[in-house]
Amino acid sequence: MFPMLTLLSMFYYICLRRRSRSGTRSEALGSRRAVELGQRSALPVTVEVEQYGKEVLDFSSHYGSENSMSYTMWNLAGVPNVYPSSGDFTQTAVFRTYGSWWEQCISSATPFRRTPPNFHSLDYLELAFEEPVYPTAVEVLETYHPGAIVKILACSLNPFSQNPPADVRWEVLWAGKPNKSLTPQARQFSPSIRQISFASNLLRLEVNSTLLDYYTELDAVILRGVRERPILALYKIPVIDINDLSDSEEEISDAGGLCCRSGGENRHNMGNGYFDRLPYELIQLIVSHLPVPDLCRLAQSCKLFHKHCCDPLQYIQLSLQPYWARLTDASLSHLQSRCTLLQRLNMSWTGNRGAVTAAGFCSFMKACGLSLVCLELSCCHFLTEACLEVIAQTCQCLQELNLASCDRLQPQAFNLIAKLPNLRRLVLYRTKVEQSAILSILTFCPELRHLNLGSCVMIEDYDVVASMLSARCRSLRSLDLWRCRNLSERGLAELVSGCRLLEELDLGWCSTLQSSSGCFQHLARSLPRLRKLFLTANRTVCDSDLEELAANCSALEHLDILGTRMVSPVSLRKLLQCCPQLKLLDVSFCSQIDSRFIQELSGLFPNVSIKKSFTQ
């Protein structure tokens, strides 16, 4: 009993010492007296600043084009364009995906093990404001299908400053789980945020749209805050973290002489409990369920766990994306000796603003990349041509490479991907890859199964790319040509004639294709395995196209014909009858399909999610 009380007393004393260090003695006394004497009027009056976003600095994806403003993330800067109206508006910021449809596609990546259960983020955007403030509130104006925001963070870096700090910190202001609003109507989302110790004019919103029925649309973000740190927050009692308590000799002597050393006569050797008796494989299985930070902490507890937690078998696949805000060159160096058997690595979103350097990444890849088969690097802006050269030289077994939204990687760097002959899946969404590079890749990587060239605006002639795909990549299963500018009917005909195993084809916003040429009917007859087809915003899709899909593509699961004026209720009903596996059908802005008919179809085909967006 008494030793326990003594231990608790020591713990309480150390906590008080930690609290006292939050300010100088004179400042603490002054603040306490001000509060005790009720002299609140003597405290400085702080004026709250309200400001809208000034500039969108970075984002992971958007629905819109790189050459326009419709549905792009850049719409989030400035005052509201739409709010308080609700509905589908082109002046808002919209992410590329929603719902669980994309996760069900064969082109999606296999999830990584050990992803923390509280990491829900699938997309992000970073928004800068004019003036750094200590945040008191953040308000997000959501105008359509709200509920996607799962985390709001603030950064210590002023993106407009000429003297950036040596240590860039991100602090979470608010975090929650994905949710689905009861109504798609507009709302002002203003969660209760925590106080932070620095002024910020850079916010990051992270979203997860998997629970939503349609695309979420954001109109504006308001940052409220004060220019000077709230004085009472300076002396707020900190949350005590047991891992932060010091065991230095000074602390122990100040605590009344109690120390952790004990004489030999009082020492009890408890060993490692029953863990010493468990088979090695069983302990490996137990620790395999720990997230990476917990695995590193457990390695410091004893020699037995150090041995198990540093075993390279624990690092066959490694996802560092959830820890993007903390990952540095030093982190990679620390992990290097453990990752000699690494096969799958996810570093998406990591290393930006100097946290990871090209040299640090290259050093890690040279040591750990020999066995890699999957490498996820979306939104990694530290990547350079030298990084891709190291990947090409070291990772000869690589089968999957994701460079989505690496839009700062220079065009010539993509030529190096052609040195990876075993590639099966390649994602180049929103990159500066040029036509010469993609043709070289297709020439030397004939085993490609999944290729994403969505929003690759520097490819000049997609017909040439389609012709090369038809000749070299006959095993292709999925192809994303979202917003490709110049694919013609001739190019599409070559593509579907050579790549007859295609199951997914995204031709959304490819406005140069004309149904009158018979290209979509030829597509339906040539691709009997088709499961996903996006013909988004092609105004020429007609009844004949749907009839051919109904007759030849019975395995169809996802179909998007948003925006066509030439599809009638009769052909739509026939399609639903002939495609029993259909799960998603988007007929938004199809002028011949009204809401009443949608309700009728939903009753007849309850397993199909039929989308019909609106503008209020």
Side-chain angles (χ1 to χ4, degrees):
M1 180 71 177
F2 290 106
M4 179 60 69
L5 289 175
T6 304
L7 185 60
L8 290 173
S9 300
M10 177 185 174
F11 178 77
Y12 180 68
Y13 176 79
I14 296 174
C15 292
L16 290 177
R17 283 177 55 83
R18 291 285 174 181
R19 175 189 174 188
S20 68
R21 291 173 184 172
S22 61
T24 65
R25 179 177 178 84
S26 60
E27 288 173 337
L29 289 174
S31 175
R32 186 181 65 185
R33 286 170 183 157
V35 174
E36 288 176 350
L37 298 176
Q39 297 175 347
R40 296 186 180 272
S41 59
L43 296 176
V45 177
T46 57
V47 178
E48 189 175 62
V49 177
E50 175 186 300
Q51 49 187 331
Y52 289 95
K54 178 181 180 181
E55 182 180 352
V56 175
L57 300 181
D58 192 20
F59 55 90
S60 56
S61 75
H62 61 180
Y63 186 90
S65 166
E66 303 302 297
N67 300 319
S68 73
M69 290 297 290
S70 297
Y71 297 120
T72 64
M73 286 297 123
W74 300 303
N75 285 321
L76 206 59
V79 299
N81 298 307
V82 173
Y83 188 86
S85 298
S86 301
D88 190 343
F89 290 92
T90 61
Q91 304 97 318
T92 57
V94 185
F95 290 98
R96 177 70 181 86
T97 64
Y98 73 94
S100 58
W101 321 109
W102 278 260
E103 296 176 354
Q104 300 168 5
C105 295
I106 60 170
S107 56
S108 64
T110 304
F112 278 74
R113 292 190 293 111
R114 278 203 172 108
T115 300
N118 62 347
F119 181 74
H120 308 292
S121 307
L122 297 178
D123 271 301
Y124 75 88
L125 67 91
E126 293 179 3
L127 183 63
F129 296 79
E130 180 68 35
E131 181 180 357
V133 294
Y134 292 92
T136 56
V138 176
E139 299 170 8
V140 185
L141 306 184
E142 302 173 279
T143 54
Y144 200 36
H145 289 279
I149 298 172
V150 294
K151 189 177 290 187
I152 303 174
L153 304 98
C155 186
S156 61
L157 172 72
N158 181 349
F160 306 121
S161 172
Q162 300 298 320
N163 301 307
D167 181 28
V168 177
R169 295 167 52 198
W170 286 94
E171 293 286 347
V172 177
L173 298 178
W174 173 87
K177 295 181 179 180
N179 69 86
K180 175 182 174 181
S181 180
L182 297 178
T183 171
Q185 303 295 325
R187 76 170 184 181
Q188 181 173 298
F189 179 61
S190 183
S192 177
I193 65 173
R194 60 184 291 266
Q195 291 186 340
I196 56 175
S197 59
F198 55 81
S200 177
N201 64 336
L202 176 57
L203 296 185
R204 177 179 172 118
L205 307 185
E206 296 186 356
V207 304
N208 181 321
S209 304
T210 54
L211 297 183
L212 302 187
D213 290 330
Y214 207 59
Y215 297 98
T216 189
E217 300 191 7
L218 311 178
D219 192 17
V221 178
I222 304 171
L223 172 61
R224 301 182 190 275
V226 293
R227 293 185 175 90
E228 297 188 11
R229 188 176 179 183
I231 190 167
L232 292 180
L234 290 169
Y235 308 105
K236 184 178 180 180
I237 299 177
V239 176
I240 302 299
D241 182 359
I242 191 67
N243 296 314
D244 187 46
L245 296 179
S246 171
D247 57 356
S248 66
E249 292 185 2
E250 178 189 356
E251 270 301 65
I252 294 171
S253 61
D254 287 348
L258 179 67
C259 93
C260 298
R261 299 186 299 272
S262 58
E265 65 277 11
N266 295 323
R267 186 181 297 115
H268 299 282
N269 184 9
M270 299 302 293
N272 293 304
Y274 290 101
F275 275 98
D276 284 333
R277 303 182 182 181
L278 294 179
Y280 189 92
E281 294 79 8
L282 183 56
I283 301 179
Q284 284 284 289
L285 178 62
I286 292 172
V287 300
S288 70
H289 294 280
L290 292 175
V292 176
D294 291 344
L295 197 66
C296 295
R297 294 187 188 106
L298 185 61
Q300 302 175 48
S301 61
C302 68
K303 291 182 179 179
L304 175 69
F305 284 138
H306 183 272
K307 179 180 179 181
H308 283 280
C309 294
C310 294
D311 191 321
L313 290 174
Q314 291 292 332
Y315 301 86
I316 289 179
Q317 58 174 289
L318 178 64
S319 178
L320 299 175
Q321 181 180 5
Y323 319 109
W324 63 266
R326 291 180 283 165
L327 192 74
T328 63
D329 282 350
S331 309
L332 293 178
S333 178
H334 178 74
L335 289 168
Q336 191 165 299
S337 62
R338 309 181 185 197
C339 297
T340 54
L341 301 179
L342 187 63
Q343 295 181 11
R344 302 185 71 230
L345 174 63
N346 182 5
M347 286 185 60
S348 295
W349 302 4
T350 63
N352 297 334
R353 296 187 173 85
V356 172
T357 64
F361 174 78
C362 290
S363 174
F364 182 78
M365 293 306 297
K366 289 176 182 177
C368 308
L370 292 176
S371 302
L372 269 182
V373 295
C374 174
L375 183 56
E376 301 281 334
L377 296 173
S378 66
C379 307
C380 288
H381 300 313
F382 63 83
L383 290 175
T384 63
E385 184 176 357
C387 295
L388 261 63
E389 186 172 4
V390 169
I391 293 172
Q393 293 173 350
T394 308
C395 310
Q396 284 297 299
C397 299
L398 199 64
Q399 298 180 12
E400 300 181 45
L401 178 61
N402 183 357
L403 297 174
S405 291
C406 291
D407 53 344
R408 301 172 198 179
L409 196 56
Q410 293 304 305
Q412 65 272 13
F414 294 95
N415 289 293
L416 295 162
I417 299 175
K419 297 181 179 181
L420 299 169
N422 297 308
L423 276 182
R424 302 290 191 277
R425 174 174 165 266
L426 178 60
V427 181
L428 298 177
Y429 167 74
R430 285 192 67 240
T431 61
K432 294 178 180 177
V433 62
E434 293 180 337
Q435 184 167 309
S436 58
I438 194 63
L439 292 178
S440 178
I441 292 169
L442 298 180
T443 301
F444 295 102
C445 302
E447 300 300 318
L448 274 174
R449 301 290 191 274
H450 309 286
L451 178 62
N452 188 332
L453 297 177
S455 294
C456 291
V457 297
M458 298 187 71
I459 296 178
E460 299 171 354
D461 190 346
Y462 274 92
D463 281 354
V464 176
V465 175
S467 178
M468 182 65 75
L469 281 167
S470 175
R472 297 290 298 171
C473 302
R474 292 180 173 270
S475 298
L476 201 65
R477 298 292 195 278
S478 72
L479 178 62
D480 190 331
L481 297 178
W482 175 262
R483 292 188 181 274
C484 72
R485 295 182 300 169
N486 47 30
L487 180 68
S488 72
E489 295 85 357
R490 178 180 60 83
L492 181 59
E494 277 197 74
L495 174 69
V496 300
S497 296
C499 302
R500 291 182 174 271
L501 298 181
L502 273 172
E503 298 179 38
E504 298 178 12
L505 182 57
D506 193 333
L507 300 172
W509 295 87
C510 298
S511 56
T512 52
L513 297 172
Q514 298 294 314
S515 173
S516 58
S517 68
C519 62
F520 297 137
Q521 297 174 46
H522 177 57
L523 179 155
R525 289 191 292 266
S526 302
L527 304 178
R529 300 188 181 197
L530 203 60
R531 295 166 56 186
K532 171 186 172 182
L533 178 62
F534 274 32
L535 301 174
T536 316
N538 191 300
R539 316 297 183 190
T540 68
V541 175
C542 63
D543 286 346
S544 299
D545 302 322
L546 263 63
E547 289 170 4
E548 287 293 338
L549 287 171
N552 298 283
C553 303
S554 58
L556 199 63
E557 297 179 6
H558 303 157
L559 178 63
D560 186 340
I561 54 172
L562 175 149
T564 181
R565 304 182 180 92
M566 304 176 69
V567 167
S568 69
V570 175
S571 63
L572 202 60
R573 187 191 298 270
K574 182 178 180 180
L575 176 79
L576 287 163
Q577 291 170 342
C578 296
C579 298
Q581 299 183 52
L582 200 63
K583 300 175 183 177
L584 171 66
L585 176 61
D586 195 337
V587 292
S588 299
F589 302 108
C590 292
S591 55
Q592 294 190 45
I593 310 299
D594 59 28
S595 299
R596 186 170 55 183
F597 182 64
I598 294 297
Q599 290 179 353
E600 179 185 341
L601 290 181
S602 297
L604 294 172
F605 304 96
N607 295 326
V608 184
S609 182
I610 305 177
K611 308 300 180 182
K612 178 77 172 176
S613 65
F614 70 89
T615 301
Q616 191 180 70

